[in-house]
Structure formats: structure tokens, C-alpha cells
Amino acid sequence: MPRDYKVWMIATLKGGVGKTKSAMFLAQELANRGEHVMIADADPGTQGVTDWVTRLLRDYPHYDMPWDVQQWSPKYGGLLVQWLDQAVRQTGARRVVLDLGAEMADVVATAAILADQIVIPVGTHQDELARLEPTWRAVKPNARAGICGVLLTRVDAVGKGAASDVRRVLAHDAYHTYETEIPRSRAAYDRFGLPIEQTGAYAALTDELLKREEY
Ligand SMILES: Nc1ncnc2c1ncn2[C@@H]1O[C@H](COP(=O)(O)OP(=O)(O)OP(=O)(O)O)[C@@H](O)[C@H]1O
Ligand SMILES: [Mg+2]
């Protein structure tokens, strides 16, 4: 049976780069546009999406969640790709945003088979950029052509300074980089346990991803 849902996969083989934030804000933006979205939280053990929702519903028991969340762990046994189909069917979602763990290169590689778009969040510091190559290596062999891109996150000045330098290097190394950059802003993005509602720069990123989906 052909798949009747789209998967946006978020993955970098490095912790703390903004994967979970990106997954939640993209899901929120799609939900704001009327889409039925499910986040597949495949990164248990970090302060991830499931923890965030648990906290939110504890503090705001009547909050009407704008998107669904389902959690997967390698510990459950079985493959993510098989689980995903079932989880999506349970929720009836038409869009999935997949938040993957930083240590799971093999899971990242197999998940790439399912992805309609792949977002690789990374900051402008060298230790984060150094993890791009291994991430790309895990994802590329299984991903359809033209669906991968690097997302510059937590940048101090959008389009300037370090962000523009890094963008030049990435272009030289033939990485596709999304036009949208996510500014560093604790106030906007550090909302653990709170409703998101405002999605900031992730609205522009959503436009970019939807546009790429058309090709
Ligand atoms: N645009 C931003 N501006 C400021 N802080 C941010 C931004 N995006 C994420 N952060 C902060 O950076 C930290 C890491 O973000 P996040 O949890 O999304 O990364 P992650 O890649 O999912 O990390 P992990 O590998 O631990 O799962 C968090 O404290 C988060 O609040
Ligand atoms: Mg995370």
C-alpha cells in the first residue's frame, strides 16, 4: 500500500544542536496550518518531546494538544520503520516529524529510507560542524536525491558573521543549506513544558520544506 503520510526527519549525530526544538516547532507550524501532525519521538532519555508534553499536560490538563506524539525506543525491540506505520495509523496523522537520537547512526541511516525531507540542525561552532560529515554519511546512501539539508541553528546574527562564513564553507563542500537560519533566543525557543504557539523562524523553514516537497 502506498504511504499516505509525509515524513520530515530531524537528525544530527551530535547532542544539543536543536533537533528536538526543530521537531516541535515544525510540528507546531504545520498544525497551525491545519495539518494533522504526529511527532515520532525516537530519542528517549533526553529531555525530549514526550517529557515536554508530559510536563505540559501536568501543568495544563485541559490544554488541547495541537499535534500527537508517539514514543519509540530501540529498547522496545523491532525496527523504527515498522513501528512508524502502525503509530501513524493509530493517530490518523498525515504528517510525521521524526526526532532522532544523536547516538543512533544505524537508526538514522534506516529512517532516511522513509524520509520525504531531512533536516540536519547544526550550530556554527567547529565541534558541531565536525559532526556534519558523519551525519551526511549515515543519511545520504538511503535518502532520495535532493531531500537533505543543513539547518543553521542558534546563530548569533542571522545571515551575518559566523553564519555567513559557515554558509560559504558548506556551499563549497556541496552541502545543501536551508535559506532559513534559526536565531539564538532563549526566550523564544526554551519553553520546556509550555505551549509553543509562536513558531518564529520555523514558519519560514516550513515554507522552504513544503516548496522542496513539490519537486
Ligand atoms: N534557537 C535557539 N535559541 C536558543 N536556545 C536554543 C535554540 N534551540 C535550542 N536551544 C536550546 O539548546 C538546547 C538543546 O536543544 P535541543 O534539546 O532542541 O537539542 P537536541 O539536539 O534535541 O539535544 P539532544 O541531543 O540532547 O536531544 C536546549 O537547552 C534548547 O533550549
Ligand atoms: Mg533532543
Side-chain angles (χ1 to χ4, degrees):
M1 214 169 72
R3 256 199 304 130
D4 56 0
Y5 57 93
K6 298 265 190 207
V7 178
W8 289 359
M9 163 176 158
I10 320 295
T12 310
L13 297 177
K14 170 94 180 86
V17 295
K19 297 182 296 296
T20 296
K21 238 73 248 205
S22 297
M24 290 199 303
F25 279 68
L26 286 171
Q28 179 72 39
E29 178 59 25
L30 287 167
N32 287 353
R33 296 179 189 204
E35 302 262 12
H36 187 171
V37 190
M38 181 192 107
I39 300 185
D41 176 6
D43 189 13
T46 59
Q47 267 209 338
V49 183
T50 306
D51 299 339
W52 186 91
V53 171
T54 305
R55 166 79 71 90
L56 176 68
L57 292 177
R58 186 198 71 189
D59 295 344
Y60 306 87
H62 301 296
Y63 183 68
D64 188 14
M65 283 302 302
W67 32 264
D68 291 306
V69 58
Q70 296 278 319
Q71 192 175 42
W72 177 82
S73 162
K75 290 186 216 122
Y76 302 164
L79 296 176
L80 170 76
V81 287
Q82 290 165 347
W83 168 87
L84 189 65
D85 234 24
Q86 252 183 344
V88 173
R89 228 170 302 130
Q90 263 175 25
T91 60
R94 303 302 293 267
R95 288 195 172 273
V96 172
V97 181
L98 177 55
D99 183 18
L100 287 158
E103 278 86 39
M104 309 191 294
D106 51 337
V107 179
V108 166
T110 49
I113 299 166
L114 293 174
D116 295 286
Q117 294 296 322
I118 297 178
V119 177
I120 303 174
V122 79
T124 54
H125 285 285
Q126 196 47 48
D127 58 333
E128 297 188 25
L129 294 170
R131 299 302 298 160
L132 267 185
E133 208 272 323
T135 306
W136 207 265
R137 206 164 355 103
V139 159
K140 218 47 204 288
N142 290 337
R144 296 203 317 274
I147 67 165
C148 297
V150 176
L151 173 67
L152 294 178
T153 57
R154 294 147 35 245
V155 307
D156 290 321
V158 169
K160 293 189 220 160
S164 113
D165 294 346
V166 166
R167 185 175 284 281
R168 244 192 320 274
V169 172
L170 294 178
H172 180 266
D173 293 347
Y175 288 109
H176 175 80
T177 308
Y178 297 110
E179 289 294 316
T180 308
E181 295 172 7
I182 309 300
R184 180 186 299 283
S185 160
R186 283 236 159 251
Y189 298 110
D190 212 355
R191 297 181 54 80
F192 186 77
L194 294 171
I196 299 173
E197 285 155 9
Q198 301 295 324
T199 58
Y202 285 96
L205 179 64
T206 300
D207 288 336
E208 268 194 76
L209 290 165
L210 289 173
K211 194 137 181 236
R212 287 191 106 207
E213 254 182 16
E214 292 167 14
Y215 297 106

